[in-house]
């Protein structure tokens, strides 16, 4: 047999009443001095090993001298062959928080990454017999999947170097989680395990480059802010000159326009408050 077989064995409560009756019968036979009492006692003691209790979202894998006989998934008290070995496998959802791994992203930058995985066993035959230790299998294969995922995407975009990606580890949370879940599911399918959720639990640059990358991000943010400021300042200067020309408030030649533009750009683009100087004379002084 190469696949899971669900079975529902004998009701344990009925078998408990039968064994109780045999035990009472054995006592009566002992009192009556009948030699048959000893075999009945022996049968009762051996039969007690056949009781198996299955909790909700639990299972028992039954083996008879190394041969797979089936799996009990329905909760309750049952009685099976006393010579069956009964291996317990939980069907509950389990959390796995991986260790923080140091890997290289797509651009070769060292990063620290970990994942949070929610999984459960769906095929007890594969979990019990197709892999050596299914819990350790989950840990190892999840780490391998995270390493592969990290090498497929960059940590962040670096537009100044011409590296622009649609999906990055930092900003594309949903896309990365879907790719990670698919990768882990493919690896764990052979162990009869279903992945309920997989997502990045921790993501950061490695310590040796963290400070440099932080400065780089700050510089990028400053450049972007300055770009916006200059763009707005040019629009404001253009609007000021246009309004002055339309309303004919003052007639400025090209030299004075250049001086006015220079002064306005200094005031608007400066990162400190400008100190105005009032000219009480003429335009030339």
């Amino acid at each position: 047999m190469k696949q899971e077989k669900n079975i529902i064995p004998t009701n344990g409560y009925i078998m408990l009443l039968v064994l109780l009756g045999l035990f009472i019968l054995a006592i009566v036979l002992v009192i009556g001095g009948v030699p048959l009492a000893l075999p009945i006692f022996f049968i009762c003691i051996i039969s007690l090993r056949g009781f198996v209790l299955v909790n909700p979202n639990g299972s028992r894998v039954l083996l008879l001298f190394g041969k797979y006989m089936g799996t009990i998934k329905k909760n309750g008290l049952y009685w099976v062959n006393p010579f069956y070995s009964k291996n317990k496998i939980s069907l509950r959802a389990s959390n796995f928080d991986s260790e923080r791994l140091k890997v290289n992203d797509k651009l070769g930058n060292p990063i620290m990454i970990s994942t949070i995985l929610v999984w459960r066993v769906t095929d007890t035959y594969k979990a019990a017999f197709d892999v050596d230790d299914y819990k350790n299998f989950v840990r190892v294969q999840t780490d391998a999947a995270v390493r592969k995922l990290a090498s497929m995407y960059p940590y962040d975009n670096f537009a100044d170097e011409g590296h622009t990606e649609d999906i990055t580890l930092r900003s594309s949370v949903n896309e990365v989680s879907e790719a990670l879940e698919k990768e882990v599911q493919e690896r764990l399918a052979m162990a009869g395990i279903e992945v309920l959720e997989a997502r990045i639990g921790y993501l950061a640059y490695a310590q040796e480059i963290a400070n440099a990358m932080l400065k780089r991000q700050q510089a990028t943010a400053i450049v972007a802010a300055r770009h916006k400021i200059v763009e707005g300042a040019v629009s404001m200067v253009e609007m000021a000159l246009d309004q002055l020309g339309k309303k004919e408030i003052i007639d400025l030649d090209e030299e004075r326009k250049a001086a006015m533009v220079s002064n306005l750009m200094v005031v608007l683009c400066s990162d400190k408050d400008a100190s105005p100087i009032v000219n009480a004379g003429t335009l030339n002084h």
Side-chain angles (χ1 to χ4, degrees):
M1 185 175 294
K2 298 296 183 181
Q3 59 184 3
E4 182 183 77
K5 176 185 177 183
N6 292 327
I7 62 173
I8 300 179
T10 305
N11 190 297
Y13 297 103
I14 296 176
M15 197 61 191
L16 185 62
L17 294 176
V18 172
L19 290 180
L20 182 61
L22 289 176
F23 185 74
I24 295 174
L25 176 62
I27 294 176
V28 173
L29 292 177
V30 168
I31 295 174
V34 179
L36 188 61
L38 185 59
I40 295 178
F41 269 123
F42 181 74
I43 292 174
C44 290
I45 294 174
I46 294 298
S47 298
L48 289 175
R49 296 188 68 254
F51 286 102
V52 55
L53 178 64
V54 181
N55 295 318
N57 284 327
S59 69
R60 291 296 184 98
V61 178
L62 306 179
L63 295 174
L64 179 60
F65 305 121
K67 181 180 179 181
Y68 174 68
M69 303 304 296
T71 301
I72 307 174
K73 286 188 173 180
K74 187 176 181 181
N75 63 292
L77 179 64
Y78 301 99
W79 186 86
V80 297
N81 189 328
F83 297 101
Y84 282 174
S85 62
K86 302 171 281 291
N87 300 325
K88 183 186 295 186
I89 294 181
S90 175
L91 302 180
R92 297 183 179 93
S94 300
N95 278 318
F96 170 61
D97 188 1
S98 70
E99 296 181 357
R100 295 178 181 178
L101 304 174
K102 184 177 180 180
V103 297
N104 292 331
D105 68 355
K106 185 177 181 180
L107 301 180
N109 297 317
I111 62 175
M112 301 297 295
I113 188 172
S114 70
T115 183
I116 298 176
L117 183 70
V118 183
W119 60 276
R120 67 181 176 188
V121 175
T122 56
D123 192 318
T124 57
Y125 179 88
K126 292 182 178 180
F129 306 116
D130 284 355
V131 294
D132 184 36
D133 183 349
Y134 69 92
K135 292 183 179 179
N136 184 63
F137 187 81
V138 170
R139 290 192 291 269
V140 174
Q141 293 301 322
T142 301
D143 288 348
V146 171
R147 290 180 183 276
K148 180 180 178 181
L149 179 81
S151 65
M152 293 171 57
Y153 305 107
Y155 179 92
D156 204 353
N157 277 320
F158 295 104
D160 55 335
E161 293 185 359
H163 299 294
T164 55
E165 298 282 345
D166 294 332
I167 300 177
T168 63
L169 296 174
R170 186 181 67 85
S171 60
S172 306
V173 178
N174 294 332
E175 292 82 356
V176 171
S177 297
E178 290 177 3
L180 177 61
E181 183 175 334
K182 182 180 178 181
E183 180 67 25
V184 177
Q185 181 62 73
E186 291 177 355
R187 293 172 177 267
L188 300 184
M190 66 175 296
I193 293 173
E194 177 189 8
V195 176
L196 302 178
E197 183 184 5
R199 65 182 184 275
I200 301 298
Y202 178 85
L203 181 65
Y205 281 113
Q207 186 176 1
E208 58 266 26
I209 67 167
N211 291 333
M213 287 301 179
L214 178 60
K215 292 179 179 179
R216 179 181 185 138
Q217 291 176 352
Q218 291 174 342
T220 302
I222 291 173
V223 170
R226 288 295 177 186
H227 179 77
K228 277 292 185 183
I229 291 173
V230 172
E231 183 179 350
V234 170
S235 298
M236 294 175 67
V237 170
E238 182 182 4
M239 179 180 65
L241 293 176
D242 184 62
Q243 292 294 322
L244 288 173
K246 286 183 178 179
K247 295 183 179 181
E248 298 180 353
I249 296 176
I250 187 173
D251 187 16
L252 299 175
D253 57 18
E254 295 300 321
E255 182 178 353
R256 290 170 179 169
K257 284 183 180 180
M260 180 179 179
V261 169
S262 176
N263 293 334
L264 286 176
M265 292 297 292
V266 169
V267 172
L268 294 175
C269 296
S270 176
D271 57 348
K272 297 181 180 179
D273 294 336
S275 299
I277 298 176
V278 178
N279 186 6
T282 65
L283 288 176
N284 297 322
H285 296 86

